[in-house]
Amino acid sequence: MPELSTAPGPRPDAGPAARPGAGARGTWGLRDRPGVLWLALAGLMTFVHPFVPESRWLMVHLVLLGALTHSIMVWSTHFTQALLKTRPGLDDRRTQSKRLWLLLGGTTLTLIGVPTATWPVILLGASLVSVAVLWHGVQLVRRLRAALPGRFRVTVRYYVVATLCLPVGAALGATLALGLSDAWHGRLLLAHAMVNILGWVGLTVTGTLLTLWPTMLRTRIGPAAEGRARQALPVFTLALLTVVGGALMDLRWLTVGALGAYALALLWWASAVLPPVLAAPPREFAPASVGLALLWWLVGLTLVLWRLGSAPDWAAFADGFGPTVAVLVVGFAAQLLSGALSYLLPSVQGGGKTVVRAGQRWFDRWGTARLTVVNVGLLLCLLPVPSIVRVVLSVLVVLALAAFVPLMLAGIRAAVRAKWEVEASRAAAQPPAGATPTPGTPPGAPDRMPSVWSGGQLVAALSALVLAVSLGVAADPAAAGLTGTVRPGVGASGGAAVEPTGETTTVRVEALDMRFEPSTITVPAGNALVVELVNADPTTVHDLQLLGAKTARLAPGETATLEVGVVESSTQGWCTIVGHRQVGMVLDVVVVGGASDGDGTHADGQHDGTASPGTPYPDSATPFLDPDARVTDPVDPVLDPLGEERVHRLTLTAEEVELEVAPGVTQTRWTFNGRAPGPTLHGRVGDVFEITLENDGTMGHSIDFHAGALAPDRPMRTIAPGESLVYRFTAERAGIWMYHCSTMPMSSHIAAGMAGAVIIEPREGLPEVDREYVVVQSEVYLAPGTGQGGEAPAEVDADAILAERPAFVTFNGIAGQYGEAGEMFEARVGERVRFWVLDAGPNRATSFHVVGGQFDTMYAEGTYLLGPQAEGTGAQALGLQAAQGGFVELSFPEAGHYPVVSHLMVDAERGARGVVEVSD
């Protein structure tokens, strides 16, 4: 339309997309609101994701399935009508509304079904989405057949092929929701992602930008653009078919070749479509955002090709797909959507330049700052930065993207208000004689929008990013390599005892497999020592402390330089990560000609080897507890009832938090989901468990599920901070099974709290009981005198673990928590109570006993030792070694208080005790 032209006179080559008013004008709630709603929910999800199941999946699909799919349905119809000029009644607004309501319902069901693991709901949602999109494709074909021959019909053909892709992607997604083996999951994940991103979204984008891109840039369409788009479409289509087929048939070389062909076709399309940007560089937010989105699209496709080429198998490909998803969702999809809508929504209001630009001024606000924060912030997030830095940057990026929503609302309001004013002025007065202004454009008004680029905004955005990085580093300086860094060393007694030579000995030391290599280094007397530490371990964080100087914690692949200074006598350094020194991660420094104490004690007063034989533990390792202290946050021992779902999806986040381990005593615990023990999983034989492990800690962690039988090489591998993996297994046997972190030293990780229970019932279930409780026994190891009296909480004491001297033995992580009024186990006279018991250790056995009670059913490690509900026989204690589990059942004959203990009485006295309060 004339109001969108930026040059005087007609522009016949600008193409029909220059007339966006060919579709529905003004506001239309069903067109404008659902996409905004999905985007707003995606932004909200980034802030509440720790509390929502399947939150990462939801964030991705709120953008792609919700906002982007809705917008594609709306705007491809709009452009089809603009290009083909078919009669209005062929696909009126009422028919379009029915499709959009169908899509909205299917999307909602899908977004509910996956987090709740309700496969029938997922299937129904995917089916409704597919029906809506196929109906949309049928209407596009009808328009093509009814239209007269004309230019740019190839755009609509792109839309038609795209509509065939989404149902395929939806079917693959519904199949993924069933829970599959690692290999099948990786293959279907690739097919699902590519047919949706490159097909449904990609073909729509390439078809639309044929005409929309130069229109947004307010320049002419290239003469070769239409021809190259026609040539590229068959290649795109064949490549997508081959990608899906190659992935499903496990022909990775074929999949790589097909993706390469798609990339070449994309470059061929771009060679004719994108050159207009050279003639008219983007001045407004909309084309700049779309252009950057296209660059991220190419980056995402490159990452997929790289992952396919470098991953050893499909499971590894799926585990490393996270950064690619971030690029495609944030860099490509979210930016593309906000950029395209920033142009389209003001344009469809109608009313002339005054109206359109009144809205566009809002969409362009803070454009430089928003673009800088999103794109530079995303780039920084992809770099190997500490996890806390990545979190702070992610929040900033989300806020920059979320700013589009209020700006869009303000822009639409401004356009509507301007439209009213223009219409009122037209009705009130006619233009002066001889004056011929453009309708709706005041005389002398500028012919184009002011440039969105601002040096001040650029500086402000970069400053905000620098501040975000600084805040992240300040929150966790060790992870950023800024604490305990280097300082000039002194002699072991505070000053050099030998004459300095002025020379320096520099040694390169690698940390790998819980060892330093070399493990012994030699320094001539009088030389200064410099250690160049390289963390060559592929998964685990390490550091080095030597004579008071200390490196930061190094992530895999990182390097630090430790300037020790002149060392006066032989000494020893070690890794300070809990447990690493105890398993032998020590570095001996031998000074040639220096003094040595000669008794195995080095100049720093430390002993050789692992556990220090002279560790001063008191006679009683359990500290004295204040009798008036109470547990502030007891753990609920009630077992959640078994649901109907057969696929169980759960995200377990490894994180380090301060928790109570006894009344008035705290410790820094290493946890799954902020609790120790971790969440109890509950299912049946035959159920599939899909567990996503995310490492938000400061060191490497892993997970091992005893309830599944599979090769541990990949699913149980240690992952570095900031990484994640997906662990899938099918429960084939009933019982109560342990899961735990299996990163070395395993004793420290389990003792710090990284363990939990998986309860698997037979297919037909167990006999019903009135109450079910879960009791996970474990040990707590504290250094003497720590964790009390307002002191900072201590970490697990690895020396105490090796000496097998627990400070507490607990039920469900807190010593004695079920012995207090209001926190006891509860039952009524005559009720059947089932106690599931797991000994998580890592070292102590248990003898589970209820004082005053007798068990008539006892099950341990796959065998009924008694019962079920045996008559005339009974048992008094369930004996379990570490990592063993079972259950007991009993009923209580009369009201009263029945102590629950481990009958290894020293452990009951250390806290492995509780009380069953039985009422009439």
Side-chain angles (χ1 to χ4, degrees):
M1 296 185 71
E3 68 266 25
L4 294 181
S5 173
T6 59
R11 299 192 351 261
D13 290 337
R19 301 192 307 278
R25 286 179 176 269
T27 58
W28 175 17
L30 194 56
R31 177 193 66 194
D32 302 332
R33 293 173 185 168
V36 177
L37 174 63
W38 295 130
L39 284 177
L41 289 175
L44 176 64
M45 190 60 60
T46 61
F47 296 101
V48 302
H49 73 273
F51 314 105
V52 179
E54 295 291 336
S55 55
R56 292 195 177 188
W57 183 94
L58 280 172
M59 284 187 278
V60 171
H61 288 80
L62 281 166
V63 175
L64 297 181
L65 177 59
L68 198 55
T69 294
H70 174 85
S71 297
I72 287 174
M73 291 274 283
V74 168
W75 296 105
S76 59
T77 299
H78 173 86
F79 279 103
T80 298
Q81 178 62 22
L83 290 165
L84 302 181
K85 307 178 187 66
T86 53
R87 64 183 186 273
L90 188 62
D91 188 20
D92 58 18
R93 182 176 288 189
R94 177 177 296 180
T95 305
Q96 295 176 40
S97 295
K98 291 178 181 178
R99 292 201 301 271
L100 293 178
W101 280 116
L102 191 63
L103 174 67
L104 184 62
T107 301
T108 303
L109 288 174
T110 304
L111 295 174
I112 292 172
V114 171
T116 59
T118 311
W119 197 76
V121 175
I122 299 171
L123 181 61
L124 178 58
S127 300
L128 293 179
V129 170
S130 300
V131 169
V133 172
L134 288 173
W135 185 4
H136 171 65
V138 169
Q139 293 299 103
L140 294 176
V141 173
R142 290 184 63 204
R143 287 177 182 266
L144 267 176
R145 291 179 176 177
L148 296 173
R151 296 182 65 189
F152 306 111
R153 292 166 62 91
V154 67
T155 292
V156 186
R157 294 192 179 98
Y158 270 79
Y159 295 161
V160 172
V161 178
T163 61
L164 299 176
C165 293
L166 186 66
V168 176
L172 292 169
T175 306
L176 281 169
L178 286 171
L180 306 167
S181 66
D182 284 348
W184 269 108
H185 180 85
R187 288 152 62 181
L188 264 70
L189 176 65
L190 174 67
H192 167 72
M194 294 301 96
V195 78
N196 284 330
I197 296 292
L198 302 184
W200 169 238
V201 178
L203 292 180
T204 303
V205 169
T206 50
T208 301
L209 291 184
L210 175 65
T211 54
L212 181 63
W213 177 247
T215 304
M216 297 172 73
L217 293 170
R218 307 184 190 279
T219 187
R220 299 176 182 274
I221 297 175
E226 185 179 9
R228 293 193 181 179
R230 278 198 298 267
Q231 295 162 3
L233 181 57
V235 181
F236 285 140
T237 305
L238 182 60
L240 287 169
L241 289 171
T242 308
V243 166
V244 175
L248 296 182
M249 293 185 293
D250 196 15
L251 300 174
R252 205 189 313 185
W253 60 269
L254 184 62
T255 307
V256 171
L259 286 173
Y262 187 101
L264 291 175
L266 186 62
L267 292 174
W268 180 248
W269 168 86
S271 66
V273 175
L274 298 185
V277 75
L278 301 177
R283 291 174 47 85
E284 301 165 32
F285 175 83
S289 183
V290 170
L292 289 167
L294 294 177
L295 292 177
W296 282 112
W297 187 21
L298 186 59
V299 170
L301 184 56
T302 303
L303 285 175
V304 173
L305 283 166
W306 177 77
R307 286 295 306 166
L308 278 173
S310 61
D313 52 39
W314 287 107
F317 169 81
D319 289 342
F321 205 53
T324 306
V325 172
V327 166
L328 293 174
V329 174
V330 177
F332 172 53
Q335 282 205 112
L336 175 76
L337 190 58
S338 60
L341 292 181
S342 294
Y343 177 80
L344 293 169
L345 289 176
S347 300
V348 298
Q349 300 302 317
K353 281 185 179 180
T354 300
V355 176
V356 171
R357 292 180 178 175
Q360 282 186 328
R361 276 191 290 271
W362 279 97
F363 284 95
D364 282 358
R365 288 204 174 188
W366 312 308
T368 301
R370 289 154 57 200
L371 292 169
T372 303
V373 169
V374 171
N375 290 279
V376 178
L378 176 58
L379 181 61
L380 291 174
C381 286
L382 297 174
L383 298 177
V385 297
S387 58
I388 186 63
V389 174
R390 187 175 292 111
V391 169
V392 178
L393 287 170
S394 299
V395 170
L396 203 58
V397 170
V398 169
L399 290 175
L401 287 171
F404 167 76
V405 176
L407 291 175
M408 181 203 69
L409 297 175
I412 292 176
R413 284 198 300 267
V416 171
R417 187 180 304 113
K419 189 173 183 179
W420 289 345
E421 293 172 354
V422 168
E423 291 175 350
S425 65
R426 287 175 180 170
Q430 297 295 326
T436 57
T438 302
T441 306
D447 192 52
R448 60 179 180 173
M449 292 287 293
S451 174
V452 75
W453 302 114
S454 164
Q457 289 185 30
L458 177 64
V459 172
L462 293 176
S463 300
L465 291 168
V466 171
L467 178 61
V469 172
S470 302
L471 289 174
V473 170
D476 189 3
L482 296 181
T483 57
T485 51
V486 218
R487 66 167 181 80
V490 295
S493 59
V498 296
E499 187 68 25
T501 64
E503 298 182 358
T504 299
T505 298
T506 301
V507 182
R508 185 178 189 273
V509 175
E510 291 188 349
L512 178 65
D513 293 333
M514 295 296 169
R515 293 289 184 272
F516 288 117
E517 181 60 40
S519 60
T520 302
I521 58 178
T522 302
V523 184
N527 281 18
L529 173 62
V530 175
V531 178
E532 294 180 351
L533 179 65
V534 180
N535 186 0
D537 200 307
T539 57
T540 304
V541 174
H542 295 296
D543 63 13
L544 174 62
Q545 178 171 300
L546 182 59
L547 286 178
K550 181 175 176 291
T551 70
R553 291 183 173 184
L554 304 182
E558 290 187 335
T559 301
T561 300
L562 190 67
E563 296 179 1
V564 182
V566 176
V567 184
E568 67 177 19
S569 61
S570 298
T571 187
Q572 189 180 75
W574 59 88
C575 178
T576 68
I577 306 296
V578 173
H580 289 199
R581 181 186 184 192
Q582 284 71 23
V583 296
M585 200 166 185
V586 294
L587 177 67
D588 286 305
V589 179
V590 178
V591 176
V592 179
S596 176
D597 296 337
D599 61 353
T601 301
H602 295 290
D604 62 349
Q606 299 294 335
H607 289 273
D608 289 311
T610 55
S612 302
T615 302
Y617 281 97
D619 293 337
S620 173
T622 301
F624 173 78
L625 297 179
D626 182 352
D628 296 325
R630 291 291 179 266
V631 174
T632 60
D633 189 17
V635 177
D636 186 359
V638 176
L639 176 64
D640 290 334
L642 193 58
E644 296 299 323
E645 68 272 14
R646 304 310 302 267
V647 179
H648 306 264
R649 291 184 174 84
L650 178 68
T651 297
L652 292 178
T653 302
E655 51 188 335
E656 295 150 25
V657 298
E658 179 183 349
L659 294 176
E660 282 183 294
V661 293
V665 182
T666 61
Q667 184 183 47
T668 298
R669 305 286 273 162
W670 307 347
T671 69
F672 293 117
N673 288 7
R675 51 182 286 188
T680 298
L681 283 63
H682 195 185
R684 298 180 181 85
V685 170
D687 285 4
V688 174
F689 290 81
E690 182 178 296
I691 310 299
T692 300
L693 175 65
E694 298 177 353
N695 188 354
D696 282 354
T698 61
M699 66 194 77
H701 290 298
S702 59
I703 196 162
D704 171 7
F705 282 95
H706 294 189
L710 70 171
D713 305 62
R714 291 205 57 78
M716 302 180 197
R717 70 186 185 277
T718 297
I719 58 173
E723 294 184 353
S724 65
L725 62 79
V726 177
Y727 189 132
R728 296 175 192 83
F729 66 90
T730 300
E732 301 288 357
R733 293 174 175 84
I736 177 169
W737 306 84
M738 181 178 175
Y739 70 87
H740 61 91
C741 179
S742 57
T743 298
M744 294 298 292
M746 203 179 302
S747 59
S748 293
H749 286 255
I750 295 173
M754 302 194 79
V758 181
I759 295 176
I760 304 298
E761 297 192 19
R763 292 182 189 273
E764 63 277 7
L766 290 171
E768 289 188 8
V769 293
D770 297 293
R771 301 175 190 266
E772 284 189 273
Y773 294 107
V774 181
V775 175
V776 178
Q777 178 177 306
S778 59
E779 301 130 42
V780 173
Y781 294 88
L782 291 173
T786 62
Q788 291 180 282
E791 298 178 357
E795 286 193 313
V796 61
D797 190 317
D799 285 329
I801 296 173
L802 290 177
E804 296 189 44
R805 298 297 301 273
F808 303 106
V809 179
T810 73
F811 287 163
N812 293 339
I814 305 176
Q817 64 177 319
Y818 302 123
E820 300 176 2
E823 306 301 340
M824 301 176 184
F825 302 104
E826 296 180 350
R828 293 181 182 271
V829 173
E831 287 184 335
R832 289 201 61 75
V833 180
R834 179 181 294 140
F835 283 94
W836 290 90
V837 185
L838 174 70
D839 187 344
N843 298 324
R844 305 287 295 174
T846 189
S847 178
F848 185 80
H849 173 69
V850 177
V851 179
Q854 294 178 327
F855 306 140
D856 60 31
T857 299
M858 181 183 292
Y859 176 95
E861 290 297 295
T863 302
Y864 274 101
L865 305 179
L866 179 67
Q869 301 184 30
E871 294 185 7
T873 59
Q876 57 195 315
L878 173 63
L880 301 169
Q881 294 292 329
Q884 290 188 331
F887 66 81
V888 294
E889 295 177 8
L890 76 163
S891 57
F892 297 92
E894 58 182 338
H897 294 80
Y898 296 73
V900 179
V901 297
S902 170
H903 222 289
L904 277 71
M905 294 311 300
V906 65
D907 289 342
E909 293 163 359
R910 288 168 171 160
R913 61 182 183 267
V915 174
V916 182
E917 186 176 41
V918 179
S919 58
D920 287 328

